[in-house]
Amino acid sequence: MQSADSQQPSALRHFIGHAQLAAMIDGTKGEEGEWFRSKIGELCDTVRTMPKSYETDGQGMRAVAHLRYFAGGRAVWLITERDAGAPGDSTPGEQSQAFGHADLFGDGGELNYISIAEIIAAGGELDLHFTPKPLWQALKLEEPQSARDALAMELHGMFYAALPDDGPEQDHIARMIAAEEAIA
């Protein structure tokens, strides 16, 4: 069997922090070594095969989250696309951005471009126990029944994330909910 170091393609280093990867490689030498070797191989396959930039465009909450990062108690990032890179990149295959759902404060979050390098630099860790699933499942939302439902869910999340928890905006929220329910 190959060592964990030889199973780790250079692209994986852009998706996992040095300390976390070092701990995983060290784990391959202990009694749970097979689990860590298998997990490193699984992550390599996930990163290699996950959609690249714009390949999930238009899927909204139905896009599959392939990686999950967490930090600081509430911050969670669900990655649906990795950077495709560009022919002129100084480092071929460099991961400069990703796309997915970011929720930094436990307030619903939003779909947006995400810097995995910044997540790692801020102490974020890759969730080794996460299983790829559609965003709506990963976020524990109801399944969108149509494209209009999916769009309403996305707008609903963005709308609430932008508003404070109290104040005159709450009346506006009630009107928006009523309008949303009338559309359905």
Short mmCIF file of all heavy atoms in Angstrom, two decimals, residues 3 14 16 60 81 93 104 115 132 135 142 144 147 151 155 159 169 176:
data_model
loop_
_atom_site.label_atom_id
_atom_site.label_comp_id
_atom_site.label_asym_id
_atom_site.label_seq_id
_atom_site.Cartn_x
_atom_site.Cartn_y
_atom_site.Cartn_z
N SER A 3 2.14 5.04 0.86
CA SER A 3 2.11 5.83 2.09
C SER A 3 1.14 6.99 1.91
O SER A 3 0.79 7.36 0.80
CB SER A 3 3.51 6.37 2.43
OG SER A 3 3.83 7.40 1.53
N HIS A 14 -3.87 22.57 -0.85
CA HIS A 14 -4.64 23.82 -0.95
C HIS A 14 -6.00 23.71 -0.25
O HIS A 14 -6.71 24.69 -0.15
CB HIS A 14 -4.87 24.20 -2.42
CG HIS A 14 -3.61 24.47 -3.17
ND1 HIS A 14 -2.80 25.54 -2.91
CD2 HIS A 14 -3.02 23.79 -4.18
CE1 HIS A 14 -1.76 25.52 -3.72
NE2 HIS A 14 -1.87 24.47 -4.50
N ILE A 16 -6.46 21.75 2.82
CA ILE A 16 -6.36 21.35 4.22
C ILE A 16 -5.15 22.03 4.84
O ILE A 16 -4.10 22.15 4.20
CB ILE A 16 -6.30 19.81 4.34
CG1 ILE A 16 -6.44 19.36 5.79
CG2 ILE A 16 -5.06 19.25 3.69
CD1 ILE A 16 -6.72 17.88 5.93
N GLY A 60 -28.35 26.28 -7.35
CA GLY A 60 -28.75 26.83 -6.06
C GLY A 60 -28.57 25.85 -4.92
O GLY A 60 -27.52 25.24 -4.78
N GLU A 81 -17.98 24.06 -5.39
CA GLU A 81 -17.12 24.12 -6.57
C GLU A 81 -15.71 24.52 -6.14
O GLU A 81 -15.55 25.35 -5.26
CB GLU A 81 -17.59 25.19 -7.56
CG GLU A 81 -18.95 24.99 -8.13
CD GLU A 81 -19.39 26.16 -9.03
OE1 GLU A 81 -18.70 27.20 -9.06
OE2 GLU A 81 -20.43 26.02 -9.68
N GLY A 93 -2.84 24.88 -11.03
CA GLY A 93 -3.77 24.22 -10.13
C GLY A 93 -3.94 24.91 -8.79
O GLY A 93 -4.59 24.39 -7.89
N LEU A 104 -20.99 32.53 8.70
CA LEU A 104 -19.97 32.87 9.69
C LEU A 104 -20.51 33.07 11.10
O LEU A 104 -19.78 32.94 12.07
CB LEU A 104 -19.23 34.14 9.26
CG LEU A 104 -18.58 34.09 7.88
CD1 LEU A 104 -17.87 35.40 7.59
CD2 LEU A 104 -17.64 32.92 7.77
N SER A 115 -12.64 31.95 -0.03
CA SER A 115 -11.20 31.69 -0.08
C SER A 115 -10.86 30.59 0.93
O SER A 115 -10.92 30.82 2.14
CB SER A 115 -10.41 32.95 0.25
OG SER A 115 -9.04 32.62 0.43
N PRO A 132 -20.59 14.19 1.33
CA PRO A 132 -21.18 15.09 0.34
C PRO A 132 -22.69 14.90 0.24
O PRO A 132 -23.20 13.77 0.25
CB PRO A 132 -20.48 14.69 -0.97
CG PRO A 132 -19.14 14.18 -0.51
CD PRO A 132 -19.45 13.44 0.78
N LEU A 135 -26.83 21.03 -0.76
CA LEU A 135 -26.81 22.10 0.24
C LEU A 135 -28.05 22.11 1.11
O LEU A 135 -27.96 22.29 2.33
CB LEU A 135 -26.66 23.46 -0.45
CG LEU A 135 -25.27 23.81 -0.97
CD1 LEU A 135 -25.34 25.07 -1.82
CD2 LEU A 135 -24.30 23.99 0.18
N GLU A 142 -35.86 22.34 4.08
CA GLU A 142 -36.79 21.49 3.34
C GLU A 142 -36.33 21.41 1.89
O GLU A 142 -35.79 22.36 1.34
CB GLU A 142 -38.20 22.06 3.40
CG GLU A 142 -38.82 21.99 4.78
CD GLU A 142 -40.24 22.48 4.79
OE1 GLU A 142 -40.93 22.34 3.76
OE2 GLU A 142 -40.66 23.00 5.82
N PRO A 144 -36.25 21.78 -1.88
CA PRO A 144 -36.97 22.64 -2.83
C PRO A 144 -37.70 21.76 -3.85
O PRO A 144 -37.12 20.83 -4.39
CB PRO A 144 -35.87 23.47 -3.47
CG PRO A 144 -34.59 22.74 -3.22
CD PRO A 144 -34.81 21.90 -1.99
N ALA A 147 -37.68 24.94 -9.21
CA ALA A 147 -36.66 25.98 -9.34
C ALA A 147 -37.10 27.23 -8.60
O ALA A 147 -36.29 27.92 -7.98
CB ALA A 147 -36.41 26.28 -10.82
N LEU A 151 -35.07 29.10 -5.59
CA LEU A 151 -34.75 30.52 -5.62
C LEU A 151 -35.31 31.22 -4.38
O LEU A 151 -34.63 32.03 -3.76
CB LEU A 151 -35.29 31.17 -6.89
CG LEU A 151 -35.09 32.68 -7.00
CD1 LEU A 151 -33.60 33.03 -7.01
CD2 LEU A 151 -35.76 33.21 -8.26
N LEU A 155 -33.15 33.37 -1.69
CA LEU A 155 -33.48 34.76 -1.39
C LEU A 155 -33.87 34.93 0.07
O LEU A 155 -33.49 35.90 0.72
CB LEU A 155 -34.61 35.25 -2.30
CG LEU A 155 -34.25 35.37 -3.77
CD1 LEU A 155 -35.49 35.71 -4.59
CD2 LEU A 155 -33.16 36.40 -3.99
N PHE A 159 -31.97 37.39 2.50
CA PHE A 159 -32.77 38.47 3.08
C PHE A 159 -32.60 38.50 4.60
O PHE A 159 -32.33 39.53 5.19
CB PHE A 159 -34.23 38.26 2.70
CG PHE A 159 -35.14 39.32 3.24
CD1 PHE A 159 -35.15 40.60 2.69
CD2 PHE A 159 -36.00 39.04 4.28
CE1 PHE A 159 -36.00 41.57 3.18
CE2 PHE A 159 -36.85 40.00 4.78
CZ PHE A 159 -36.85 41.27 4.22
N GLU A 169 -37.51 46.66 10.86
CA GLU A 169 -37.38 45.73 9.74
C GLU A 169 -38.27 44.49 9.93
O GLU A 169 -38.63 43.83 8.98
CB GLU A 169 -35.93 45.28 9.58
CG GLU A 169 -34.99 46.37 9.14
CD GLU A 169 -34.44 47.18 10.33
OE1 GLU A 169 -34.81 46.88 11.48
OE2 GLU A 169 -33.67 48.10 10.08
N MET A 176 -42.77 40.29 3.77
CA MET A 176 -42.04 39.47 2.79
C MET A 176 -42.42 37.99 2.92
O MET A 176 -42.58 37.30 1.92
CB MET A 176 -40.53 39.64 2.97
CG MET A 176 -40.00 41.01 2.56
SD MET A 176 -40.30 41.39 0.83
CE MET A 176 -39.21 40.23 0.06
#
